[in-house]
Amino acid sequence: MARMLIRNAEVWGHGRADLRLSDDRIAEIGGLAPTPGETVIDARGGALLPGLHDHHIHLAGLAVRAASVPCGPPEVNDAGELTAQLRRPGSRWIRGIGYHESVMGLPDRHELDTLVADRPLRLQHRSGRLWLFNSLGLETVLASAEAPAGLDRAKGHLFDEDAWLQTALASTPPDFAAVSAELAGFGVTGMTDMSPRNDPVIARHFARQRETGSLRQHALLAGTLGNWTRGPAKLHLHEAQFPDFDETQAFIAAAHDQQRGVAVHCVSEIELVFALAAIEAAGAVPGDRIEHASVASPELVARMAALGLSVCVQPHFVAERGDRYLADVEPRHHGDLYRLRSLVEAGIPLAGGSDAPFVSADPWQAMTAAVSRRTRDGQVIGAGEALTPEEALTLYFADPLDLTRRRRIVPGEPADLCLLDRPWAAVRENLSAELVRATFVSGDLVYQAPA
């Protein structure tokens, strides 16, 4: 039976103590002496936290980001910068990510040909729902598959057809080893993957990655209907093309029949209105949740609370995209952007997610944004919506199967832990991943900072 002793730690919820791990569980907490053959780690007074859980991530997208080209703000802000970014030698696909219409509108394939004509090019809009192709890219992808309903061939725009695109490109799910290591360095011990297309095939890939050690974190998958996962059924709304209301209500009811909640993507006020109406018509159950709640008026906050919903928030959007929001969103809605404090005061359970790869996967940057509410340019969005450092941290302690519950460090709980290199009183003044000293998943040391 594998055993480990972490000594002299500032244990979250306990104060200074020692902590013993036995196999994949926390065995004892207190003043403990080492036993023969036991691995001992001296925490030197550093804070020992429950491992962080990213409650909204797209791991496959994060894994392929390294082979992709950033094509939107802040790296790329206009047509000239986009042209320079796409000037790359080679003959294979250029895969651009993070594109936003503020760069040069929504260019059709002919406009993209003026930027890149000799290589197949596809740009993904930062919403994740739209791909823009140049002519060679469109020709290449249609060489092996019939055009789907979501393709505008004249423009080279592909909307909501990722499953078709993966088939056309003969794509296979990526290896997770590199991104798993990156997340371990942040103290992340678990994740909820939020792709609406997750299905049993993807679930088997995640399982194989866990078995081989490529994926070290626990993974809960949201996705399609069916009794293949305990995660929520994902419903991705888009106000430009809402689904049929009765079909949406039936989807929610079917998820509930499978003893699953629904997770509804809502980044605009009208999407949130639609989602709440559909959930109310189907009947809300524990586990139903709103993803993002990017624009929420006080009235909609009250409705979410009345329905007993939870919200998965992404505080980092304020930091990474706040300046663009202030330019694009109607001023009357500025106070409604990415609320936090209002949700807490309404009694709505919150959990923190990154939405990576669309923004950074670093939860410590998200915590900083939750506390400061500052954009890249230093503007403050909704100062009254700020959280304390403790509240920001505990967004990542939520139980992925019950967002109303916070995971704790107590005997019998899973040995999923994040050790920092200094006490919490110092960390709360500088919320940074650089302070993560070690990460443990099921009692295994999966990350240790260089000495």
Side-chain angles (χ1 to χ4, degrees), residues 318-319 365 367-375 379-383 386-387:
V318 168
Q365 291 185 22
M367 292 178 218
T368 299
V371 174
S372 73
R373 303 286 297 185
R374 289 191 180 278
T375 71
Q379 300 184 80
V380 175
I381 296 179
L387 300 181

Side-chain angles (χ1 to χ4, degrees), residues 283-306:
V285 303
D288 286 342
R289 50 192 273 184
I290 300 296
E291 305 302 306
H292 311 303
S294 307
V295 184
S297 67
E299 294 77 17
L300 294 178
V301 170
R303 285 186 65 189
M304 286 190 285

Side-chain angles (χ1 to χ4, degrees), residues 267-292:
V267 298
S268 72
E269 183 179 43
I270 190 63
E271 289 173 7
L272 185 54
V273 169
F274 184 95
L276 297 183
I279 292 172
E280 189 170 27
V285 303
D288 286 342
R289 50 192 273 184
I290 300 296
E291 305 302 306
H292 311 303

Side-chain angles (χ1 to χ4, degrees), residues 197-233:
R197 293 173 298 279
N198 283 339
D199 60 14
V201 173
I202 297 298
R204 287 193 290 273
H205 178 68
F206 270 80
R208 286 193 296 269
Q209 292 282 293
R210 281 281 287 166
E211 290 166 2
T212 61
S214 292
L215 176 61
R216 304 305 302 267
Q217 289 81 7
H218 304 289
L220 177 69
L221 271 62
T224 59
L225 291 174
N227 292 306
W228 58 273
T229 178
R230 299 173 69 193

Side-chain angles (χ1 to χ4, degrees), residues 115-376:
L115 307 184
V116 177
D118 58 346
R119 294 183 64 176
L121 167 69
R122 66 186 192 272
L123 301 183
Q124 186 183 42
H125 189 271
R126 75 178 188 186
S127 67
R129 306 190 70 184
L130 175 66
W131 288 94
L132 313 173
F133 291 85
N134 69 352
S135 294
L136 184 55
L138 186 63
E139 176 186 329
T140 302
V141 78
L142 288 176
S144 57
E146 293 293 326
L151 176 66
D152 183 332
R153 297 185 67 158
K155 293 182 177 179
H157 292 180
L158 183 69
F159 184 77
D160 261 358
E161 294 282 2
D162 272 14
W164 174 86
L165 182 59
Q166 289 171 6
T167 300
L169 296 174
S171 299
T172 57
D175 183 79
F176 296 149
V179 291
S180 179
E182 178 186 14
L183 292 169
F186 298 149
V188 173
T189 60
M191 67 192 70
T192 300
D193 192 280
M194 267 292 158
S195 171
R197 293 173 298 279
N198 283 339
D199 60 14
V201 173
I202 297 298
R204 287 193 290 273
H205 178 68
F206 270 80
R208 286 193 296 269
Q209 292 282 293
R210 281 281 287 166
E211 290 166 2
T212 61
S214 292
L215 176 61
R216 304 305 302 267
Q217 289 81 7
H218 304 289
L220 177 69
L221 271 62
T224 59
L225 291 174
N227 292 306
W228 58 273
T229 178
R230 299 173 69 193
K234 177 70 181 294
L235 183 59
H236 195 147
L237 298 180
H238 194 282
E239 67 174 82
Q241 189 177 6
F242 278 120
D244 179 81
F245 185 83
D246 290 339
E247 292 178 0
T248 302
Q249 182 181 341
F251 177 95
I252 295 169
H256 293 169
D257 288 343
Q258 295 167 10
Q259 306 302 308
R260 298 168 64 192
V262 291
V264 189
H265 165 103
C266 297
V267 298
S268 72
E269 183 179 43
I270 190 63
E271 289 173 7
L272 185 54
V273 169
F274 184 95
L276 297 183
I279 292 172
E280 189 170 27
V285 303
D288 286 342
R289 50 192 273 184
I290 300 296
E291 305 302 306
H292 311 303
S294 307
V295 184
S297 67
E299 294 77 17
L300 294 178
V301 170
R303 285 186 65 189
M304 286 190 285
L307 288 169
L309 304 180
S310 300
V311 176
C312 183
V313 296
Q314 291 76 34
H316 202 21
F317 276 102
V318 168
E320 290 207 18
R321 299 185 181 175
D323 296 302
R324 175 54 53 186
Y325 294 150
L326 291 175
D328 293 347
V329 175
E330 295 179 49
R332 67 187 178 90
H333 282 313
H334 286 179
D336 298 333
L337 287 168
Y338 286 94
R339 291 183 181 274
L340 295 172
R341 174 63 57 198
S342 295
L343 303 180
V344 171
E345 292 179 350
I348 297 173
L350 301 185
S354 65
D355 202 24
F358 301 107
V359 288
S360 170
D362 183 347
W364 298 93
Q365 291 185 22
M367 292 178 218
T368 299
V371 174
S372 73
R373 303 286 297 185
R374 289 191 180 278
T375 71
R376 288 184 185 273

Side-chain angles (χ1 to χ4, degrees), residues 64-98:
V64 300
R65 183 179 63 178
S68 303
V69 181
C71 291
E75 296 90 350
V76 172
N77 298 284
D78 56 40
E81 292 180 353
L82 180 62
T83 301
Q85 188 79 321
L86 295 176
R87 285 177 180 162
R88 294 168 182 264
S91 59
R92 295 185 178 183
W93 276 100
I94 298 176
R95 182 184 190 274
I97 58 173

